[in-house]
Amino acid sequence: MQNRPDTRMVASLGVISDSIPVTVVIPTRNEALHLPRCLEKVRRFSEVYVVDSQSTDSTVEVARGFGAKVVQFHYHGGWPKKRQWALDSLPFANEWVLLLDADEVLTPDLTDEIEEAIRNPHLVGYRVFLRINFLGKDLRFGGSGFWKLSLFRRGKGHFECRLKDQDHSMSDIEVHEHVVVDGPVDSFRHFLPHHNVESLARYLSKHNDYSNWEARVLLQSKEQSVELPPAFFGNQAQRRRWLKKRFFGLPGSPIFFFLYKYILRLGFMDGVPGLIYCALQSTHFFHIKAKMYELKHTSRSAT
């Protein structure tokens, strides 16, 4: 069964004459806590879609209250997942598309930079640096922040598909797939704050799904067509994949990963939140390795 929009869940959005001609796409599931901050900062954009996954909290009501167009996404496994489905299926009114998560909050400086950037006729996309706020603190060390391609021309960008055989246990949204664009890109000067105020329990629940996905990807990566292959001298995403691929082969690699982030990348400079973040990242690393072992064991037992 194909994933398709529930047109009954679309709400109208008034277009302001001097608004920025960019379509903002925000995927959600039970994001009522984060969504008001996010939507408040995108009022200057002419079109906003909230792509929801049957939230049981007030996410839909919050989105409609801000005038966003709300569309329900029903995931039935496989590919495409949530954001790529939105790119493929929704009738965007603008040439430019901005992908945001509900816990990302645009700053006035970044909004001004976006308004200027879309006037450049020679570029098709822009990267932005994501700065993570964890347990109330902006993390500046430990390699916590990263670049992501969030703004691009409609039809010029798509998510790479690293694993076609996916199900609900691996989340209905792209995890570490990256946007690939056809044409030249540039980077923004101003960063994008990522401010998650949910509980650690919610954080761990999400990362449990993510580790299911990563274990499957890493085991089957040789069989998949990856558009951003691991490369030490590539971009940040490729370099991370290159390092991760080699780290996983080392005994005790989760411990080394923690020492790398907390000591070598100065994660200790971020205080207690930095310690907790680095510890949770290394624990996530361990969960991936454990699930890879489980999948290998299950596969051998079945043969």
Side-chain angles (χ1 to χ4, degrees):
M1 180 177 179
Q2 285 189 326
N3 303 318
R4 62 183 61 186
D6 183 348
T7 55
R8 295 172 299 175
M9 296 299 290
V10 178
S12 63
L13 176 71
V15 177
I16 306 171
S17 59
D18 61 348
S19 59
I20 302 173
V22 170
T23 295
V24 181
V25 178
I26 306 169
T28 60
R29 186 194 314 184
N30 295 330
E31 293 286 1
L33 186 60
H34 289 125
L35 201 53
R37 296 177 306 146
C38 180
L39 291 175
E40 178 65 36
K41 299 302 182 182
V42 297
R43 288 184 181 272
R44 290 176 57 190
F45 295 89
S46 68
E47 185 176 53
V48 178
Y49 275 98
V50 169
V51 185
D52 189 55
S53 296
Q54 299 82 60
S55 290
T56 56
D57 64 3
S58 59
T59 292
V60 170
E61 290 75 16
V62 169
R64 286 175 167 170
F66 278 87
K69 299 180 179 181
V70 182
V71 178
Q72 288 295 334
F73 172 67
H74 299 272
Y75 185 55
H76 303 291
W79 185 263
K81 300 185 91 172
K82 198 170 190 174
R83 284 177 287 211
Q84 184 59 51
W85 172 86
L87 296 177
D88 293 340
S89 307
L90 301 181
F92 299 152
N94 298 303
E95 180 184 6
W96 287 89
V97 179
L98 175 65
L99 298 179
L100 289 178
D101 288 340
D103 51 9
E104 296 171 353
V105 184
L106 286 176
T107 64
D109 286 338
L110 181 56
T111 301
D112 290 341
E113 194 173 2
I114 291 172
E115 184 175 23
E116 180 66 26
I118 61 174
R119 297 172 185 166
N120 189 325
H122 305 295
L123 296 175
V124 299
Y126 290 87
R127 304 183 202 90
V128 64
F129 186 77
L130 198 71
R131 176 173 291 174
I132 295 177
N133 182 291
F134 185 74
L135 295 178
K137 183 177 180 61
D138 286 336
L139 301 183
R140 299 179 180 272
F141 301 94
S144 55
F146 57 91
W147 290 92
K148 57 185 290 187
L149 203 153
S150 294
L151 178 70
F152 50 92
R153 294 181 190 271
R154 185 182 72 244
K156 293 293 186 179
H158 67 276
F159 281 89
E160 55 178 348
C161 177
R162 299 183 66 191
L163 183 66
K164 291 184 179 180
D165 183 19
Q166 304 188 59
D167 56 41
H168 287 279
S169 73
M170 290 175 268
S171 179
D172 70 345
I173 194 170
E174 296 81 2
V175 181
H176 289 152
E177 293 97 337
H178 293 275
V179 174
V180 179
V181 297
D182 179 19
V185 302
D186 199 357
S187 300
F188 288 125
R189 300 186 307 275
H190 298 96
F191 65 87
L192 174 62
H194 177 283
H195 192 169
N196 192 311
V197 296
E198 289 283 1
S199 66
L200 286 179
R202 177 86 184 274
Y203 176 94
L204 292 171
S205 176
K206 285 185 176 181
H207 280 74
N208 182 52
D209 290 344
Y210 299 165
S211 61
N212 291 337
W213 178 87
E214 290 200 70
R216 291 282 298 277
V217 167
L218 290 168
L219 279 179
Q220 302 185 29
S221 59
K222 293 181 180 179
E223 303 172 14
Q224 300 296 316
S225 174
V226 179
E227 296 186 69
L228 289 176
F232 183 77
F233 294 106
N235 59 34
Q236 185 190 44
Q238 291 176 293
R239 188 160 52 252
R240 281 174 174 245
R241 287 180 185 175
W242 187 90
L243 291 169
K244 182 178 288 187
K245 183 178 180 180
R246 280 146 184 82
F247 256 53
F248 270 99
L250 297 175
S253 53
I255 298 173
F256 293 128
F257 187 65
F258 172 78
L259 295 175
Y260 167 74
K261 292 182 72 67
Y262 191 64
I263 304 298
L264 294 181
R265 296 300 301 272
L266 306 179
F268 64 88
M269 296 288 288
D270 285 322
V272 174
L275 170 63
I276 296 174
Y277 185 80
C278 291
L280 289 178
Q281 289 282 293
S282 61
T283 302
H284 179 68
F285 205 105
F286 176 77
H287 288 167
I288 296 170
K289 289 198 70 170
K291 290 178 180 181
M292 290 173 67
Y293 177 84
E294 179 188 37
L295 288 170
K296 290 178 182 177
H297 178 73
T298 303
S299 177
R300 286 196 298 265
S301 299
T303 57

